[in-house]
Amino acid sequence: MVTTSTAAASSRTTANRVLTTGRAPAEHGFAHLKNWRPSPNSVPTPPVQPASCAPCSS
């Protein structure tokens, strides 16, 4: 005999399992994006001006 509370718990468990299965790929994708760091070689360095070069005055 299945009681009402047991049936409700079973349907909640099934619903949670379906939601978790669908949500997991998105959660993992966002985790990878949050941990993304650019490679030190991929970021261009700004050009260095010589010490004798004065800033332009307009």
PDB file of all heavy atoms in Angstrom, residues 24-43:
ATOM      1  N   ALA A  24      22.601  20.404 -14.796  1.00  0.00           N
ATOM      2  CA  ALA A  24      24.020  20.106 -14.588  1.00  0.00           C
ATOM      3  C   ALA A  24      24.924  20.600 -15.713  1.00  0.00           C
ATOM      4  O   ALA A  24      25.954  21.213 -15.433  1.00  0.00           O
ATOM      5  CB  ALA A  24      24.212  18.612 -14.351  1.00  0.00           C
ATOM      6  N   PRO A  25      24.604  20.380 -17.000  1.00  0.00           N
ATOM      7  CA  PRO A  25      25.508  20.864 -18.049  1.00  0.00           C
ATOM      8  C   PRO A  25      25.693  22.378 -18.020  1.00  0.00           C
ATOM      9  O   PRO A  25      26.804  22.875 -18.224  1.00  0.00           O
ATOM     10  CB  PRO A  25      24.826  20.417 -19.347  1.00  0.00           C
ATOM     11  CG  PRO A  25      23.971  19.277 -18.956  1.00  0.00           C
ATOM     12  CD  PRO A  25      23.516  19.576 -17.553  1.00  0.00           C
ATOM     13  N   ALA A  26      24.617  23.120 -17.770  1.00  0.00           N
ATOM     14  CA  ALA A  26      24.725  24.585 -17.706  1.00  0.00           C
ATOM     15  C   ALA A  26      25.571  25.012 -16.511  1.00  0.00           C
ATOM     16  O   ALA A  26      26.404  25.917 -16.631  1.00  0.00           O
ATOM     17  CB  ALA A  26      23.340  25.207 -17.620  1.00  0.00           C
ATOM     18  N   GLU A  27      25.367  24.367 -15.378  1.00  0.00           N
ATOM     19  CA  GLU A  27      26.144  24.709 -14.184  1.00  0.00           C
ATOM     20  C   GLU A  27      27.631  24.455 -14.433  1.00  0.00           C
ATOM     21  O   GLU A  27      28.477  25.259 -14.058  1.00  0.00           O
ATOM     22  CB  GLU A  27      25.684  23.870 -12.992  1.00  0.00           C
ATOM     23  CG  GLU A  27      24.251  24.121 -12.566  1.00  0.00           C
ATOM     24  CD  GLU A  27      24.128  25.256 -11.572  1.00  0.00           C
ATOM     25  OE1 GLU A  27      25.151  25.640 -10.990  1.00  0.00           O
ATOM     26  OE2 GLU A  27      23.011  25.737 -11.390  1.00  0.00           O
ATOM     27  N   HIS A  28      27.966  23.355 -15.079  1.00  0.00           N
ATOM     28  CA  HIS A  28      29.365  23.046 -15.354  1.00  0.00           C
ATOM     29  C   HIS A  28      29.952  24.042 -16.344  1.00  0.00           C
ATOM     30  O   HIS A  28      31.107  24.441 -16.217  1.00  0.00           O
ATOM     31  CB  HIS A  28      29.499  21.621 -15.894  1.00  0.00           C
ATOM     32  CG  HIS A  28      29.172  20.572 -14.873  1.00  0.00           C
ATOM     33  ND1 HIS A  28      28.885  19.277 -15.212  1.00  0.00           N
ATOM     34  CD2 HIS A  28      29.087  20.627 -13.523  1.00  0.00           C
ATOM     35  CE1 HIS A  28      28.631  18.591 -14.111  1.00  0.00           C
ATOM     36  NE2 HIS A  28      28.741  19.388 -13.072  1.00  0.00           N
ATOM     37  N   GLY A  29      29.160  24.438 -17.322  1.00  0.00           N
ATOM     38  CA  GLY A  29      29.640  25.422 -18.290  1.00  0.00           C
ATOM     39  C   GLY A  29      29.960  26.747 -17.633  1.00  0.00           C
ATOM     40  O   GLY A  29      30.995  27.369 -17.912  1.00  0.00           O
ATOM     41  N   PHE A  30      29.093  27.220 -16.739  1.00  0.00           N
ATOM     42  CA  PHE A  30      29.355  28.475 -16.035  1.00  0.00           C
ATOM     43  C   PHE A  30      30.561  28.351 -15.114  1.00  0.00           C
ATOM     44  O   PHE A  30      31.329  29.297 -14.961  1.00  0.00           O
ATOM     45  CB  PHE A  30      28.128  28.931 -15.242  1.00  0.00           C
ATOM     46  CG  PHE A  30      27.089  29.592 -16.099  1.00  0.00           C
ATOM     47  CD1 PHE A  30      25.848  29.016 -16.262  1.00  0.00           C
ATOM     48  CD2 PHE A  30      27.361  30.775 -16.751  1.00  0.00           C
ATOM     49  CE1 PHE A  30      24.886  29.616 -17.054  1.00  0.00           C
ATOM     50  CE2 PHE A  30      26.408  31.387 -17.552  1.00  0.00           C
ATOM     51  CZ  PHE A  30      25.170  30.799 -17.706  1.00  0.00           C
ATOM     52  N   ALA A  31      30.753  27.203 -14.520  1.00  0.00           N
ATOM     53  CA  ALA A  31      31.921  27.003 -13.655  1.00  0.00           C
ATOM     54  C   ALA A  31      33.206  27.120 -14.465  1.00  0.00           C
ATOM     55  O   ALA A  31      34.182  27.718 -14.003  1.00  0.00           O
ATOM     56  CB  ALA A  31      31.844  25.636 -12.973  1.00  0.00           C
ATOM     57  N   HIS A  32      33.205  26.581 -15.682  1.00  0.00           N
ATOM     58  CA  HIS A  32      34.395  26.693 -16.533  1.00  0.00           C
ATOM     59  C   HIS A  32      34.640  28.149 -16.924  1.00  0.00           C
ATOM     60  O   HIS A  32      35.783  28.596 -16.972  1.00  0.00           O
ATOM     61  CB  HIS A  32      34.254  25.827 -17.783  1.00  0.00           C
ATOM     62  CG  HIS A  32      34.394  24.368 -17.511  1.00  0.00           C
ATOM     63  ND1 HIS A  32      35.562  23.801 -17.046  1.00  0.00           N
ATOM     64  CD2 HIS A  32      33.508  23.355 -17.619  1.00  0.00           C
ATOM     65  CE1 HIS A  32      35.384  22.501 -16.886  1.00  0.00           C
ATOM     66  NE2 HIS A  32      34.142  22.208 -17.226  1.00  0.00           N
ATOM     67  N   LEU A  33      33.578  28.891 -17.202  1.00  0.00           N
ATOM     68  CA  LEU A  33      33.742  30.297 -17.570  1.00  0.00           C
ATOM     69  C   LEU A  33      34.275  31.121 -16.397  1.00  0.00           C
ATOM     70  O   LEU A  33      35.088  32.021 -16.583  1.00  0.00           O
ATOM     71  CB  LEU A  33      32.414  30.887 -18.040  1.00  0.00           C
ATOM     72  CG  LEU A  33      31.932  30.433 -19.405  1.00  0.00           C
ATOM     73  CD1 LEU A  33      30.546  30.992 -19.681  1.00  0.00           C
ATOM     74  CD2 LEU A  33      32.892  30.875 -20.486  1.00  0.00           C
ATOM     75  N   LYS A  34      33.808  30.818 -15.194  1.00  0.00           N
ATOM     76  CA  LYS A  34      34.259  31.572 -14.020  1.00  0.00           C
ATOM     77  C   LYS A  34      35.732  31.323 -13.723  1.00  0.00           C
ATOM     78  O   LYS A  34      36.408  32.195 -13.185  1.00  0.00           O
ATOM     79  CB  LYS A  34      33.429  31.187 -12.797  1.00  0.00           C
ATOM     80  CG  LYS A  34      32.038  31.746 -12.816  1.00  0.00           C
ATOM     81  CD  LYS A  34      31.294  31.358 -11.554  1.00  0.00           C
ATOM     82  CE  LYS A  34      29.925  31.973 -11.514  1.00  0.00           C
ATOM     83  NZ  LYS A  34      29.208  31.632 -10.288  1.00  0.00           N
ATOM     84  N   ASN A  35      36.224  30.149 -14.070  1.00  0.00           N
ATOM     85  CA  ASN A  35      37.620  29.822 -13.794  1.00  0.00           C
ATOM     86  C   ASN A  35      38.540  30.123 -14.963  1.00  0.00           C
ATOM     87  O   ASN A  35      39.722  29.816 -14.917  1.00  0.00           O
ATOM     88  CB  ASN A  35      37.751  28.328 -13.434  1.00  0.00           C
ATOM     89  CG  ASN A  35      37.150  28.048 -12.080  1.00  0.00           C
ATOM     90  OD1 ASN A  35      37.237  28.867 -11.177  1.00  0.00           O
ATOM     91  ND2 ASN A  35      36.524  26.894 -11.945  1.00  0.00           N
ATOM     92  N   TRP A  36      38.019  30.732 -16.026  1.00  0.00           N
ATOM     93  CA  TRP A  36      38.812  31.008 -17.215  1.00  0.00           C
ATOM     94  C   TRP A  36      39.805  32.121 -16.943  1.00  0.00           C
ATOM     95  O   TRP A  36      39.472  33.153 -16.364  1.00  0.00           O
ATOM     96  CB  TRP A  36      37.898  31.398 -18.369  1.00  0.00           C
ATOM     97  CG  TRP A  36      38.645  31.699 -19.617  1.00  0.00           C
ATOM     98  CD1 TRP A  36      39.140  30.794 -20.502  1.00  0.00           C
ATOM     99  CD2 TRP A  36      39.001  32.987 -20.119  1.00  0.00           C
ATOM    100  NE1 TRP A  36      39.763  31.443 -21.536  1.00  0.00           N
ATOM    101  CE2 TRP A  36      39.699  32.796 -21.322  1.00  0.00           C
ATOM    102  CE3 TRP A  36      38.797  34.277 -19.670  1.00  0.00           C
ATOM    103  CZ2 TRP A  36      40.190  33.849 -22.078  1.00  0.00           C
ATOM    104  CZ3 TRP A  36      39.290  35.327 -20.422  1.00  0.00           C
ATOM    105  CH2 TRP A  36      39.978  35.100 -21.616  1.00  0.00           C
ATOM    106  N   ARG A  37      41.025  31.914 -17.347  1.00  0.00           N
ATOM    107  CA  ARG A  37      42.076  32.928 -17.235  1.00  0.00           C
ATOM    108  C   ARG A  37      42.796  32.984 -18.567  1.00  0.00           C
ATOM    109  O   ARG A  37      43.120  31.949 -19.155  1.00  0.00           O
ATOM    110  CB  ARG A  37      43.095  32.566 -16.145  1.00  0.00           C
ATOM    111  CG  ARG A  37      42.524  32.516 -14.746  1.00  0.00           C
ATOM    112  CD  ARG A  37      42.251  33.929 -14.230  1.00  0.00           C
ATOM    113  NE  ARG A  37      41.802  33.912 -12.857  1.00  0.00           N
ATOM    114  CZ  ARG A  37      40.532  33.876 -12.482  1.00  0.00           C
ATOM    115  NH1 ARG A  37      39.590  33.837 -13.373  1.00  0.00           N
ATOM    116  NH2 ARG A  37      40.208  33.886 -11.223  1.00  0.00           N
ATOM    117  N   PRO A  38      43.069  34.189 -19.069  1.00  0.00           N
ATOM    118  CA  PRO A  38      43.795  34.269 -20.342  1.00  0.00           C
ATOM    119  C   PRO A  38      45.227  33.785 -20.190  1.00  0.00           C
ATOM    120  O   PRO A  38      45.837  33.929 -19.130  1.00  0.00           O
ATOM    121  CB  PRO A  38      43.750  35.750 -20.697  1.00  0.00           C
ATOM    122  CG  PRO A  38      43.481  36.454 -19.415  1.00  0.00           C
ATOM    123  CD  PRO A  38      42.734  35.489 -18.545  1.00  0.00           C
ATOM    124  N   SER A  39      45.745  33.224 -21.245  1.00  0.00           N
ATOM    125  CA  SER A  39      47.129  32.778 -21.259  1.00  0.00           C
ATOM    126  C   SER A  39      48.040  33.999 -21.219  1.00  0.00           C
ATOM    127  O   SER A  39      47.757  35.008 -21.863  1.00  0.00           O
ATOM    128  CB  SER A  39      47.386  31.978 -22.530  1.00  0.00           C
ATOM    129  OG  SER A  39      48.753  31.767 -22.710  1.00  0.00           O
ATOM    130  N   PRO A  40      49.149  33.965 -20.488  1.00  0.00           N
ATOM    131  CA  PRO A  40      50.047  35.120 -20.433  1.00  0.00           C
ATOM    132  C   PRO A  40      50.595  35.497 -21.808  1.00  0.00           C
ATOM    133  O   PRO A  40      50.895  36.655 -22.057  1.00  0.00           O
ATOM    134  CB  PRO A  40      51.183  34.680 -19.518  1.00  0.00           C
ATOM    135  CG  PRO A  40      50.713  33.472 -18.825  1.00  0.00           C
ATOM    136  CD  PRO A  40      49.597  32.884 -19.622  1.00  0.00           C
ATOM    137  N   ASN A  41      50.707  34.539 -22.709  1.00  0.00           N
ATOM    138  CA  ASN A  41      51.241  34.825 -24.032  1.00  0.00           C
ATOM    139  C   ASN A  41      50.192  35.403 -24.982  1.00  0.00           C
ATOM    140  O   ASN A  41      50.535  35.952 -26.018  1.00  0.00           O
ATOM    141  CB  ASN A  41      51.828  33.557 -24.653  1.00  0.00           C
ATOM    142  CG  ASN A  41      53.011  33.065 -23.857  1.00  0.00           C
ATOM    143  OD1 ASN A  41      53.692  33.836 -23.193  1.00  0.00           O
ATOM    144  ND2 ASN A  41      53.242  31.768 -23.891  1.00  0.00           N
ATOM    145  N   SER A  42      48.909  35.294 -24.638  1.00  0.00           N
ATOM    146  CA  SER A  42      47.868  35.759 -25.541  1.00  0.00           C
ATOM    147  C   SER A  42      47.519  37.229 -25.324  1.00  0.00           C
ATOM    148  O   SER A  42      46.862  37.829 -26.157  1.00  0.00           O
ATOM    149  CB  SER A  42      46.614  34.913 -25.380  1.00  0.00           C
ATOM    150  OG  SER A  42      46.039  35.139 -24.117  1.00  0.00           O
ATOM    151  N   VAL A  43      47.946  37.827 -24.225  1.00  0.00           N
ATOM    152  CA  VAL A  43      47.638  39.221 -23.942  1.00  0.00           C
ATOM    153  C   VAL A  43      48.786  40.084 -24.448  1.00  0.00           C
ATOM    154  O   VAL A  43      49.918  39.945 -23.996  1.00  0.00           O
ATOM    155  CB  VAL A  43      47.435  39.441 -22.419  1.00  0.00           C
ATOM    156  CG1 VAL A  43      47.132  40.895 -22.120  1.00  0.00           C
ATOM    157  CG2 VAL A  43      46.346  38.541 -21.903  1.00  0.00           C
TER     158      VAL A  43
END
